[in-house]
Amino acid sequence: MWTHRSWQGRLLPHPLPAQERLRHYAGWCDAVEGNTTFYATPSRDTSASWAAQTDPDFRFVVKLPKVVTHERRLTEVNVPMRAFLDAVEPLGPRVHALWVQLPGSFGPADVPTLGRFLRRLSGTHRCAVEVRHPAFFTDPGSARELETTLAAVDAEWIPFDTTAFFTDPPTSDAERDAWTKKPRLPLRTVALTDRPIVRYLGRDDPERTIAGWQRWLDITVDWLREGRSPTVFIHTPDNADAPTLARRFHDEVRARVPGLAPLPEPIPVAPTTLF
């Protein structure tokens, strides 16, 4: 996302025309999860607008449409995939990875299907896969088979770390809602490629979110020192302070890896006036 009701007038100016919202978000963070593409393929004009609002090195991790991943489960998807790839083509180098988020029912028996799908994209698009079937996290053989399949096409395995979130029962409406919807899976911290992607879910309390990401701070620093280029997304159940928390994480990493470039300076939010 690049807009959120609680950010308006506080982190981002309000009101903002649609063609300016991403530009202001890009003053806070240099990457975004393209979650809306899961629900509807954008038009080429929309993608061109996103490109115009961001620098060429801005990173989009764009989620494949649900018709591809959840409804057809990666089979007989040539038509929707052609339409999707054509739609996001105006983003050019900003497409850091195609995000293949698979349903929890997509298990070890489906890995050959995933392999065939990824091979058709290899050479033209980089993919990152998020799986939610428990066997990939608890059965070493299933994990190895998936890793081998991904490594063969230089695809990444995206961990969605919810372990800090599920440490204690929820204490807010947003946390209670997330408690019923977010996957509860074991922690995974292994990178397969030079461009690992991490999704981390903290709590609505910023201090608890910060405490929970300490392991990722160490891992991210190690990856950078190994020459990798990680992308880390920071979430909380209400996401009210997600941009400021993301910048806090980046600053903590940069304190240990001084060569890491700083994030851009946010565009100032003008004070609200009556006239």
Side-chain angles (χ1 to χ4, degrees), residues 31-230:
V32 73
E33 293 178 346
N35 193 55
T36 59
T37 55
F38 179 72
Y39 301 100
T41 294
S43 67
R44 282 181 63 92
D45 286 346
T46 296
S47 294
S49 172
W50 295 346
Q53 296 177 64
T54 54
D55 292 333
D57 58 355
F58 186 88
R59 298 180 179 187
F60 283 86
V61 177
V62 287
K63 189 185 290 189
L64 295 190
K66 64 180 178 180
V67 66
V68 171
T69 56
H70 287 57
E71 295 173 13
R72 300 188 184 178
R73 298 169 66 88
L74 308 184
T75 61
E76 299 182 2
V77 294
N78 288 343
V79 171
M81 279 301 299
R82 278 198 299 268
F84 179 78
L85 295 175
D86 179 69
V88 301
E89 189 272 337
L91 291 173
R94 297 166 185 81
V95 178
H96 187 68
L98 301 179
W99 174 12
V100 188
Q101 186 186 79
L102 296 168
S105 60
F106 196 100
D110 299 301
V111 170
T113 299
L114 174 63
R116 288 190 293 271
F117 175 81
L118 294 176
R119 284 193 293 274
R120 289 196 291 271
L121 289 168
S122 64
T124 58
H125 295 84
R126 198 152 190 177
C127 294
V129 178
E130 180 184 339
V131 291
R132 296 187 171 185
H133 193 289
F136 291 122
F137 301 86
T138 58
D139 176 52
S142 296
R144 281 194 301 272
E145 183 182 8
L146 178 58
E147 288 179 345
T148 300
T149 298
L150 296 176
V153 291
D154 199 29
E156 189 55 81
W157 180 340
I158 302 178
F160 184 19
D161 179 14
T162 61
T163 56
F165 174 71
F166 284 113
T167 299
D168 297 301
T171 59
S172 68
D173 288 343
E175 289 188 350
R176 281 186 282 273
D177 182 61
W179 194 266
T180 64
K181 296 177 179 179
K182 301 302 181 184
R184 191 181 305 210
L185 295 167
L187 179 68
R188 176 183 167 81
T189 61
V190 178
L192 300 180
T193 72
D194 62 345
R195 297 201 290 184
I197 299 170
V198 173
R199 306 182 66 228
Y200 164 75
L201 176 65
R203 301 292 295 248
D204 285 340
D205 178 354
E207 293 308 313
R208 296 191 65 189
T209 296
I210 292 166
W213 78 35
Q214 294 307 305
R215 64 165 64 94
W216 289 112
L217 180 62
D218 294 337
I219 293 166
T220 302
V221 167
D222 287 343
W223 283 342
L224 287 166
R225 289 172 175 165
E226 292 167 1
R228 303 180 197 258
S229 182

